[in-house]
């Protein structure tokens, strides 16, 4: 086994444990937010829960932009990855301790403790995928294979986490069992990397090859303090946070575009194309976030909870996503090789069109309703269709960054990818407010039209975006071909 394969497998192992922990937690987050306080939930109404989910997830994606910059300019990618994984593990440990010690103030204790998690994530999320890009620098097929393996491991971990989470949530320990499993997974992930750091001695770029100085340590500590204070404030004001975070993201994206315009020649053209492709990433993740938010509550409130004759917890329908990714992801790279003309811009366009169809299925499920409850098989088929869309956009999106972006800006570019995902989560949380049900319990016959009308509008909007993206992509590809620029 060569060194690159060993490096990839180590990152894959670390990714598995980290994602197992994350998805055990995220898979039930919207349910936990809306659970009554008497059941150790946070007792939020639907509207507040959607907004809080959007802000929490947005912070988990927005800080990697700063983390990516610190990895490039201060710490080095490998060192940032190690520190970030360590912080994530102990952030979840503090979450366990805080929520157990302050049960009478569960919401405040949870938010203050969980504010530590995005800080650790900021140094780990973008750098893990950036490290794969550096391992396979100049190797197009290797980069795609590496990112596909990385993405499949994400989904093996998420499959087990999502499958376990509902049962833990309804166990005698309730949410505390979720927090404990999340800590254990993150701790194992950190040990996986910390104990095998020497494996990456041949992957040295910039700050990785230099000792860290006092000034660097001071910058890091200052970042931790500022990021924690800002995150705590944003968590406490989710309504205001939508506008504050949105503004911050817009400013950072403008900065990234300006940095891109300073590049020359082919590097500039390819990185500008990557920025265009990030528009599709944004639209897709608005849809993707529905799977973890409105779709779970739709399944809970307006479905028969049955999939192919089996009764499931509402949150368990999410299992279709990682299972399908594992099965389809294992051979999709062969499909790309078989159809070399079906390159990334066309893959993204097809992904948006499939996503529109997946959301339309939720609207169509209304025709199967009985007493306001729809057939759960429609929901299962929607998850499957959205998963295929995800494989065409999200998994390839990571390799797109490594293939299209300038190597000197790689970690920052990966951070920008997650920044766009952050904006999608934020917008999705706001949009989901359109299906926020009142606190007073309504009959399923009354809530069903609220959901189906929302999904129809979302499907039509995405269909229009996908069609436009296909036309524009075809035009751009012709121009690149005329200039002699080959795009994978």
């Amino acid at each position: 086994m060569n060194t690159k394969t060993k490096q990839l497998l180590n990152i894959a192992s670390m990714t598995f444990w980290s994602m197992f922990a994350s998805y055990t937690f995220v898979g039930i987050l919207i349910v936990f937010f809306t659970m009554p306080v008497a059941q150790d939930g946070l007792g939020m109404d639907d509207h507040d829960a959607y907004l809080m989910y959007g802000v929490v997830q947005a912070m988990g994606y927005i800080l990697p932009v700063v983390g990516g910059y610190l990895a490039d300019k201060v710490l080095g990618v490998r060192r940032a990855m190690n520190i970030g994984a360590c912080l994530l593990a102990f952030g979840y440990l503090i979450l366990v301790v805080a929520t157990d010690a302050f049960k009478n103030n569960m919401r405040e204790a949870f938010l203050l403790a969980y504010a530590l998690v995005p800080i650790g994530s900021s140094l780990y999320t973008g750098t893990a995928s950036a490290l794969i890009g550096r391992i396979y620098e100049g190797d197009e097929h290797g980069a795609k294979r590496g990112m596909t393996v990385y993405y499949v491991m994400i989904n093996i971990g998420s499959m087990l986490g999502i499958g376990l989470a509902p049962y833990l949530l309804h166990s005698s320990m309730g949410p505390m069992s979720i927090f404990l499993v999340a800590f254990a997974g993150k701790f194992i992930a950190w040990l996986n990397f910390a104990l095998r750091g020497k494996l990456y001695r041949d992957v040295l770029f910039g700050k990785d090859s230099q000792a860290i100085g006092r000034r660097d340590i001071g910058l890091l500590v200052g970042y931790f303090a500022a990021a924690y204070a800002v995150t705590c404030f944003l968590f406490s004001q989710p309504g205001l946070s939508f506008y504050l975070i949105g503004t911050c993201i817009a400013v950072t994206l403008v900065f990234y575009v300006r940095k891109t315009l300073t590049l020359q020649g082919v590097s500039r053209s390819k990185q500008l194309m990557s920025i265009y492709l990030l528009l599709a990433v944004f639209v897709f993740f608005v849809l993707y976030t529905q799977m973890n938010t409105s779709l779970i509550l739709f399944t809970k409130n307006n479905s028969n909870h049955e999939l192919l004759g089996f009764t499931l917890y509402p949150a368990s329908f999410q299992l279709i996503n990682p299972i399908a990714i594992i099965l389809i992801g294992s051979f999709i790279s062969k499909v790309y090789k078989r159809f070399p003309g079906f390159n990334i811009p066309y893959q993204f366009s097809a992904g948006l069109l499939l996503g529109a169809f997946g959301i339309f299925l939720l609207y169509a499920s209304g025709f199967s309703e009985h007493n306001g409850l729809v057939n759960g098989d429609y929901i299962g088929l929607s998850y499957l269709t959205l998963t295929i869309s995800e494989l065409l956009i999200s998994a390839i999106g990571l390799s797109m960054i490594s293939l299209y972006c300038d190597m000197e800006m790689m970690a920052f570019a990966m951070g920008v990818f997650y920044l766009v995902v952050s904006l999608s989560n934020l917008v999705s949380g706001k949009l989901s407010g359109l299906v926020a049900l009142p606190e007073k319990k309504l009959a399923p016959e009354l809530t069903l039209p609220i959901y189906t009308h929302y999904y129809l509008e979302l499907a039509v909007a995405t269909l229009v975006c996908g069609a436009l993206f296909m036309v524009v992509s075809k035009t751009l590809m012709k121009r690149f071909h005329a200039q002699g620029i080959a795009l994978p």
Side-chain angles (χ1 to χ4, degrees):
M1 186 183 298
N2 61 39
T3 301
K4 288 186 177 181
T5 302
K6 289 179 181 178
Q7 291 166 340
L8 177 61
L9 290 178
N10 182 246
I11 295 173
S13 177
M14 185 181 182
T15 300
F16 163 77
W17 284 107
S18 183
M19 292 302 104
F20 169 71
S22 293
Y23 279 89
T24 302
F25 188 82
V26 173
I28 52 84
L29 196 55
I30 196 70
V31 179
F32 170 64
F33 283 168
T34 56
M35 281 176 61
V37 175
Q39 298 176 19
D40 291 331
L42 298 191
M44 296 181 180
D45 60 33
D46 284 7
H47 184 270
D48 288 345
Y50 286 134
L51 268 181
M52 181 57 71
Y53 185 93
V55 171
V56 165
Q57 291 297 96
M59 289 307 295
Y61 287 112
I62 194 172
L63 287 179
V65 177
V66 184
Y69 182 82
L70 288 173
D72 283 337
K73 305 299 182 182
V74 178
L75 296 173
V77 169
R78 295 186 310 161
R79 192 181 288 121
M81 196 170 166
N82 191 20
I83 294 173
C86 179
L87 286 174
L88 271 173
F90 286 95
Y92 277 101
L93 178 61
I94 292 171
L95 181 66
V96 170
V97 174
T99 51
D100 183 58
F102 300 99
K103 283 189 175 181
N104 292 332
N105 296 288
M106 185 71 164
R107 184 183 298 195
E108 291 78 9
F110 171 84
L111 294 176
L112 286 172
Y114 192 71
L116 294 166
V117 172
I119 300 171
S121 182
S122 71
L123 294 175
Y124 174 74
T125 302
T127 50
S129 47
L131 188 56
I132 294 176
R134 289 185 172 183
I135 290 170
Y136 291 100
E137 182 184 3
D139 181 357
E140 174 188 334
H141 293 300
K144 280 192 172 183
R145 182 176 69 89
M147 288 299 179
T148 300
V149 170
Y150 172 71
Y151 210 72
V152 168
M153 292 309 294
I154 285 176
N155 285 280
I156 292 176
S158 69
M159 177 186 68
L160 296 178
I162 290 170
L164 182 63
Y167 296 94
L168 290 176
L169 187 66
H170 293 92
S171 70
S172 58
M173 290 185 65
M176 182 56 66
S177 62
I178 301 283
F179 302 158
L180 285 168
V181 168
F183 160 66
K186 293 294 184 181
F187 185 73
I188 294 171
W190 171 55
L191 285 182
N192 244 326
F193 189 76
L195 297 178
R196 302 207 67 189
K198 292 182 179 179
L199 185 63
Y200 301 91
R201 283 179 295 188
D202 65 328
V203 189
L204 294 174
F205 289 84
K207 288 289 183 176
D208 274 323
S209 58
Q210 302 173 18
I212 188 169
R214 290 183 180 180
R215 178 178 175 276
D216 298 331
I217 294 174
L219 285 172
L220 193 62
V221 172
Y223 163 65
F224 289 159
Y228 180 73
V230 169
T231 304
C232 285
F233 173 76
L234 294 174
F235 281 5
S236 68
Q237 302 288 335
L240 177 62
S241 296
F242 173 83
Y243 299 101
L244 293 177
I245 295 175
T247 301
C248 180
I249 291 174
V251 170
T252 308
L253 289 176
V254 169
F255 175 74
Y256 179 67
V257 172
R258 290 185 64 183
K259 290 284 287 183
T260 298
L261 292 175
T262 63
L263 299 174
Q264 301 294 324
V266 174
S267 294
R268 172 175 165 165
S269 297
K270 291 174 71 173
Q271 190 151 309
L272 283 172
M273 174 60 104
S274 77
I275 293 173
Y276 160 71
L277 293 175
L278 287 176
L279 295 174
V281 172
F282 167 77
V283 175
F284 166 75
F285 271 98
V286 170
L287 304 185
Y288 178 85
T289 306
Q290 302 300 315
M291 293 198 289
N292 301 323
T293 53
S294 71
L295 190 43
I296 293 177
L297 296 188
F298 174 57
T299 306
K300 176 184 175 183
N301 296 324
N302 283 100
S303 82
N304 59 12
H305 297 182
E306 292 184 2
L307 179 64
L308 301 177
F310 294 94
T311 301
L312 304 175
Y313 286 114
S316 296
F317 278 74
Q318 297 174 93
L319 271 171
I320 295 169
N321 177 255
I323 291 173
I325 285 179
I326 293 166
L327 295 176
I328 299 172
S330 62
F331 65 81
I332 197 169
S333 60
K334 296 179 181 178
V335 175
Y336 296 145
K337 286 184 180 180
R338 188 176 181 85
F339 300 98
F342 186 54
N343 50 24
I344 292 176
Y346 294 134
Q347 291 166 25
F348 277 32
S349 303
L352 288 181
L353 294 174
L354 271 175
F357 178 67
I359 294 296
F360 179 78
L361 287 170
L362 299 174
Y363 164 74
S365 71
F367 295 106
S368 73
E369 67 91 15
H370 178 69
N371 295 328
L373 300 180
V374 306
N375 188 328
D377 291 340
Y378 278 92
I379 295 173
L381 187 56
S382 176
Y383 270 109
L384 178 60
T385 306
L386 288 168
T387 298
I388 299 172
S389 174
E390 178 184 357
L391 279 168
L392 289 169
I393 296 178
S394 185
I396 298 303
L398 292 172
S399 63
M400 178 271 292
I401 295 295
S402 66
L403 293 170
Y404 285 15
C405 294
D406 185 74
M407 188 57 61
E408 294 299 319
M409 295 174 62
M410 184 63 66
F412 185 32
M414 288 290 182
V416 168
F417 177 88
Y418 290 110
L419 185 69
V420 171
V421 177
S422 170
L423 185 61
S424 298
N425 276 270
L426 203 64
V427 171
S428 182
K430 194 73 170 179
L431 283 176
S432 296
L434 297 173
V435 288
L437 303 181
E439 291 187 52
K440 183 179 179 180
K441 182 69 175 178
L442 296 179
E445 293 89 344
L446 298 177
T447 59
L448 181 60
I450 298 174
Y451 284 111
T452 54
H453 180 71
Y454 169 70
Y455 290 132
L456 177 61
E457 291 187 336
L458 196 57
V460 171
T462 307
L463 178 64
V464 172
C465 288
L468 287 173
F469 210 85
M470 182 67 78
V471 172
V472 174
S473 293
K474 187 174 182 178
T475 302
L476 290 175
M477 290 302 296
K478 287 181 178 178
R479 290 185 179 181
F480 271 76
H481 181 73
Q483 295 172 14
I485 301 174
L487 292 178

